[in-house]
Amino acid sequence: MSITLSVGRRRRHLRPTMAVALGFLGVIAAGTALLAAPWSSASGAGTPLSDALFTATSATCLTGLITVDTATHWSAAGQVTIMAMIQLGGLGFMTMASLMALLVGGRMGLRRRLGATAEGRGLDLGDVAWVVRATVLFTLVVELLVALVLTVRFHAGYGYGWGRAAWEGAFHAISGFNNAGFALYTDNVIGFAADAWVLLPLAFALMIGGIGFPVLLEVARRFRAGFDGRPRRRWSLTARFTLIGTAILVPAGTAMVALGEWDGALGHLGSSPIRLLNAFFAGVSPRTAGFNAVDYADFHPSTLLGTDILMFIGGGSGGTAGGVKITTAAVLVAAIIAEVRGDDTVISHGRRLGGRVVRQSLAVLAAALALVVGATMALLILAPQFTSDQVLFEVVSAFATVGLSTGITAQLPVAAQLILVVLMFAGRVGPLALAAALAARSRGRQYDYPEERPFIG
C-alpha cells in the first residue's frame, strides 16, 4: 500500500514508512523553529539552534534527553510546545504502528489474511478510521486519569494551587504515557522519590503506553467476549510475547536494581519500602520512559549495563516505547531454543514461526547493534573525557528513545549531540520502518541455489 502524489503528469508513490519519517521530520522542524524563538525561553533570548533541535527531536521522538534544563530554561510557551510535540509524536507513532499490520496485510494472500483474522490479528480496510479514533480516545482517557491523580496529589500533598497542579499533572501524565520522560523539575522526579502517589501513577502510565494499543485491544476483546459468553479467540503471538515479556522484565529489572543498588544509589532513601518502590520505578522506567527518581550517575557499572539491556529491548510493538521491542527479542529466543533442541522449525505456543520472521528479527537486531556500536565509538572519539560506561549508556538511551542519562548530555560537544539526534530519530522511526519494509517485500526469485553448510563457531 502506498500514498500517491500527483506532480503534473507524473505520479510518485510515497510508501507509508516514508510518510511517517517525513511527518516526524516536519514536526521536528516546526518544533525547532518554535523553541529557537525568544518567547520560548525564560530569559527572553533566543535558544541556540543546536539546543532547540536537540530538544525538539527528543520530544517528538519521545526520548527525554536534554541539553538545557526543561524547568528553568524554557518559558511557559516553550514547555507547552514541548508537551505538544510529545503528544503529536506519541499519537502519530501509536496510530501508524497500529495500522502497520493493515498496510502490510494488504500484500497478504487471502488464506493468510483469513488466518490472521481468525486469530484476532487481522484488520479490515473499514477498520482504519475506527483504529485511529480508538487509539486517540484510549490515549486521552489514560492521560486524563493519570493527570487527575497527579493533580490532586500536587494540590493536596504539596500545596500547589489548582492551576499549577493541573498544569503539572497534565504535563507529566502526557510525558509518562508517551514514554517521553520530560519533567518540569531540574532533578526530574528525584524530589518525589518517597512519594508513591506520584511514582506509581507515572509507572502505570508508562507501562500502559509501552505495551501498545494492539495488545491492549486484544486483551479488551477477550474480556468482552468472556462477559458476553462468546468463545474467546486464541491469543496472538504478539500479545503473548508482549505480556509474558513484560511480566518477566518488570520484576527482573526491579530485582536487578534492588540487588545492585540497595546500599548504593538507593541507600540514602532510608526505609525498605521506599527503596523497593524506587527499585521498581528504576526497573520499569528504562522500558522506555526516561523518568528517574534516583541519580543514575551513582549506579554501579554492572547496574548500568543491566539497564542498557532493558533499554535496548524496550517495550511492546505499536506502543510509545522504543528499543528493538519485546517481540523481536522473543522471536530470537525462540529461534535459539529451537536450534539448541535440534528442531527443524521454530515453534512457540503451538504456532510455527516462519523463517522470514526470524530473519527479519535478526535484521532489526543487527541494524540496531550496528547503530549503537558505531555511535558509541564516535562519541568516545569526540568526548574522550567520559568513560565507556557513560557513553554506552547515553547512546543506548538515545537509540531506544528512553531519555535516562548519567548527566553527560549537556557536556557533550555539539557534534556528539548531533549524533544523538540522529540516533533518537533512527531509534523512533527506524525499527518500525525496517520491519515493515522487510515484511512487505515480495519474493521475486523463482529459483534456488545448491545448499552448502559453512563451519559455525
Side-chain angles (χ1 to χ4, degrees):
M1 185 174 182
S2 61
I3 300 172
T4 302
L5 299 179
S6 297
V7 183
R9 294 183 177 180
R10 300 177 58 189
R11 287 180 177 269
R12 301 183 62 184
H13 296 277
L14 187 63
R15 292 194 174 277
T17 50
M18 181 61 68
V20 173
L22 292 177
F24 272 87
L25 285 174
V27 175
I28 291 171
T32 301
L34 290 173
L35 291 178
W39 61 76
S40 292
S41 68
S43 65
T47 299
L49 189 61
S50 59
D51 291 327
L53 172 63
F54 192 98
T55 305
T57 305
S58 184
T60 305
C61 295
L62 313 178
T63 306
L65 289 175
I66 56 175
T67 55
V68 293
D69 184 17
T70 306
T72 58
H73 178 83
W74 304 109
S75 64
Q79 292 171 353
V80 169
T81 301
I82 291 172
M83 184 176 69
M85 286 188 291
I86 292 172
Q87 188 72 89
L88 288 173
L91 280 175
F93 185 81
M94 282 191 69
T95 301
M96 290 307 303
S98 297
L99 293 176
M100 197 56 66
L102 171 64
L103 300 177
V104 174
R107 295 177 178 269
M108 292 183 179
L110 177 60
R111 181 178 300 176
R112 292 181 61 190
R113 295 190 69 181
L114 289 176
T117 302
E119 294 179 7
R121 297 182 292 108
L123 288 173
D124 297 323
L125 290 175
D127 288 336
V128 174
W130 180 87
V131 168
V132 172
R133 290 195 301 268
T135 302
V136 173
L137 180 62
F138 173 76
T139 297
L140 297 179
V141 167
V142 174
E143 290 175 349
L144 178 60
L145 290 175
V146 175
L148 287 174
V149 174
L150 293 177
T151 297
V152 172
R153 183 56 182 168
F154 288 145
H155 175 73
Y158 297 92
Y160 296 176
W162 281 113
R164 179 185 175 187
W167 158 242
E168 296 203 1
F171 185 96
H172 292 97
I174 291 173
S175 182
F177 176 80
N178 291 289
N179 281 234
F182 279 86
L184 296 178
Y185 298 92
T186 301
D187 60 357
N188 205 267
V189 293
I190 291 179
F192 303 102
D195 193 341
W197 285 100
V198 172
L199 296 189
L200 291 182
L202 288 177
F204 167 79
L206 66 91
M207 289 177 66
I208 292 295
I211 287 176
F213 180 73
V215 174
L216 295 173
L217 175 61
E218 186 172 339
V219 172
R221 283 176 171 173
R222 284 182 61 84
F223 274 109
R224 187 173 61 183
F227 285 123
D228 294 343
R230 293 181 286 109
R232 293 177 175 175
R233 293 173 176 174
R234 179 185 178 89
W235 284 108
S236 69
L237 283 183
T238 298
R240 287 181 183 271
F241 287 156
T242 302
L243 296 175
I244 293 174
T246 299
I248 292 173
L249 292 174
V250 168
T254 302
M256 176 198 69
V257 176
L259 293 174
E261 303 298 334
W262 194 263
D263 294 319
L266 302 176
H268 70 284
L269 296 174
S271 66
S272 295
I274 299 300
R275 294 190 195 188
L276 188 60
L277 169 66
N278 282 268
F280 167 74
F281 193 77
V284 169
S285 190
R287 308 179 45 252
T288 54
F291 287 115
N292 64 288
V294 290
D295 191 352
Y296 279 82
D298 296 333
F299 273 32
H300 189 273
S302 62
T303 314
L304 288 178
L305 181 59
T307 305
D308 288 337
I309 296 174
L310 290 177
M311 293 191 295
F312 188 79
I313 295 174
S317 300
T320 55
V324 297
K325 302 298 189 295
I326 295 176
T327 47
T328 303
V331 168
L332 294 176
V333 169
I336 292 172
I337 293 174
E339 191 63 31
V340 170
R341 290 177 175 175
D343 297 336
D344 293 329
T345 57
V346 181
I347 305 295
S348 182
H349 300 285
R351 286 290 187 268
R352 178 174 59 85
L353 296 173
R356 290 191 66 193
V357 174
V358 176
R359 293 195 298 271
Q360 289 161 15
S361 299
L362 283 171
V364 170
L365 177 66
L369 287 175
L371 281 173
V372 168
V373 171
T376 300
M377 294 176 64
L379 260 67
L380 285 173
I381 295 173
L382 293 171
Q385 68 271 30
F386 299 115
T387 67
S388 56
D389 294 331
Q390 293 173 308
V391 171
L392 177 62
F393 191 87
E394 211 78 8
V395 166
V396 175
S397 180
F399 168 78
T401 66
V402 179
L404 295 176
S405 175
T406 56
I408 69 172
T409 309
Q411 304 172 48
L412 293 172
V414 173
Q417 292 176 355
L418 291 178
I419 292 176
L420 294 183
V421 167
V422 174
L423 272 180
M424 289 187 286
F425 183 79
R428 173 51 56 189
V429 179
L432 175 67
L434 178 59
L438 292 173
R441 286 172 62 90
S442 58
R443 187 173 181 178
R445 181 163 52 86
Q446 302 299 322
Y447 58 91
D448 211 342
Y449 292 95
E451 180 179 350
E452 180 177 345
R453 181 182 177 87
F455 290 112
I456 303 297

